[in-house]
Amino acid sequence: MNSYLLSLGGGVLIGIFYALFRVRSPAPPGIALIGLLGMVLGERAISTLTRFLG
C-alpha cells in the first residue's frame, strides 16, 4: 500500500510541475492510460504465475 501512495504522490508532483511550466504530456492521455493498464495487467500476470508455479 505504501508504494501505491508513493507512486500517486510522485504522479501528482510531476503533474503540478507540468502545469506550472506548461509542459505538454509526452503521450496523448488515452494512449498513456492504455499503456498503464498494460503495465498493471502484466505485473498481475507475473505475480499470479509465480504464485501458481510455486
Side-chain angles (χ1 to χ4, degrees):
M1 182 67 168
N2 196 18
S3 60
Y4 290 110
L5 293 176
L6 185 63
S7 179
L8 178 63
V12 169
L13 286 176
I14 294 298
I16 290 171
F17 174 79
Y18 276 20
L20 288 175
F21 292 100
R22 296 187 178 148
V23 176
R24 298 235 349 147
S25 177
I31 292 174
L33 290 175
I34 291 172
L36 288 172
L37 176 63
M39 291 169 60
V40 170
L41 291 176
E43 178 190 9
R44 298 285 174 147
I46 295 298
S47 175
T48 303
L49 282 175
T50 53
R51 200 172 327 130
F52 179 73
L53 295 175

